[in-house]
């Protein structure tokens, strides 16, 4: 690293304390201290990646760009907070939609389960009907045999009657 913190670098830690989620004022309080004392900052830049630099505190900087950087940091922090709020809203909406979809899925699953039960019942009733049909076919076959035998007996009786009438 280059020993300087640049605009757009992201501060990660100050003297080993993570600064994620802290306000600009909270980070400032960690950095500011007695003149001549060291402060170790862990940061990340696009060009250097993560780096650690130890700086000596001074009584303050009369350079005007410090205020501009602070203002830019505040604006960026506000933009980031707004984006976080937007993302939390979208996440909440997604959670609600997920719950709605889960309820719908449960309802559909119950419907499928009920349909499966109805189908099983219909199949059982169909099996019963097929058994009854087979029994009815057996009865018809038996009756057909009896009708044929009765027709033979009738034919024989008619023949006997004709023979008796001719004698």
């Amino acid at each position: 690293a280059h020993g300087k913190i640049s605009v757009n670098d992201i501060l990660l830690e100050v003297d080993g304390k993570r600064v994620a989620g802290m306000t600009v004022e909270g980070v400032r309080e960690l950095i500011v201290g007695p003149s001549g004392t060291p402060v170790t900052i862990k940061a990340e830049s696009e060009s250097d990646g993560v780096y650690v630099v130890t700086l000596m505190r001074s009584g303050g900087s009369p350079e005007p760009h410090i205020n501009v950087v602070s203002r830019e940091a505040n604006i960026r922090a506000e933009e980031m907070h707004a984006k976080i709020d937007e993302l939390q809203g979208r996440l909440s909406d997604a959670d609600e939609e997920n719950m709605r979809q889960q309820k719908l899925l449960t309802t559909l699953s119950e419907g499928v389960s009920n349909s499966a039960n109805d189908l099983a019942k219909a199949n059982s009733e169909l099996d019963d009907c097929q058994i009854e049909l087979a029994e009815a076919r057996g009865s018809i076959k038996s009756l057909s045999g009896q009708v044929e035998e009765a027709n033979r007996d009738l034919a024989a009786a008619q023949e006997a009657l004709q023979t008796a009438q001719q004698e």
Side-chain angles (χ1 to χ4, degrees):
H2 42 67
K4 285 176 116 180
I5 299 173
S6 300
V7 173
N8 294 327
D9 285 2
I10 300 170
L11 297 183
L12 304 172
E13 295 178 4
V14 175
D15 284 336
K17 294 178 186 164
R18 293 185 50 164
V19 297
M22 292 180 69
T23 64
V24 172
E25 186 58 35
V27 174
R28 183 185 172 285
E29 288 177 15
L30 292 176
I31 294 173
V32 173
S35 183
T37 60
V39 60
T40 301
I41 297 174
K42 184 177 188 179
E44 182 176 5
S45 72
E46 286 186 24
S47 60
D48 295 326
V50 176
Y51 63 91
V52 176
V53 62
T54 300
L55 305 171
M56 294 306 271
R57 292 180 174 111
S58 66
S61 174
E63 299 177 39
H65 75 276
I66 297 297
N67 289 331
V68 171
V69 170
S70 177
R71 235 178 287 127
E72 288 176 359
N74 283 333
I75 291 169
R76 177 115 170 100
E78 287 173 11
E79 290 171 351
M80 292 175 78
H81 284 291
K83 186 67 174 176
I84 288 170
D85 291 343
E86 175 195 343
L87 291 173
Q88 285 175 333
R90 288 172 55 190
L91 180 60
S92 177
D93 292 345
D95 284 342
E96 288 175 16
E97 179 63 15
N98 185 37
M99 286 175 34
R100 191 182 72 72
Q101 293 291 335
Q102 288 290 342
K103 287 178 184 176
L104 180 61
L105 182 60
T106 299
T107 301
L108 290 173
S109 293
E110 289 170 357
V112 167
S113 179
N114 290 340
S115 295
N117 290 340
D118 292 346
L119 181 59
K121 184 178 177 184
N123 280 334
S124 177
E125 289 173 3
L126 179 60
D127 289 344
D128 291 345
C129 288
Q130 287 174 338
I131 291 169
E132 288 178 24
L133 181 59
E135 290 171 355
R137 284 184 179 148
S139 295
I140 289 170
K141 193 172 186 179
S142 174
L143 287 173
S144 292
Q146 291 174 9
V147 167
E148 285 178 21
E149 188 177 325
N151 282 336
R152 281 192 301 272
D153 289 346
L154 179 61
Q158 285 175 340
E159 220 178 281
L161 179 63
Q162 280 181 355
T163 304
Q165 286 175 346
Q166 290 175 354
E167 295 180 0

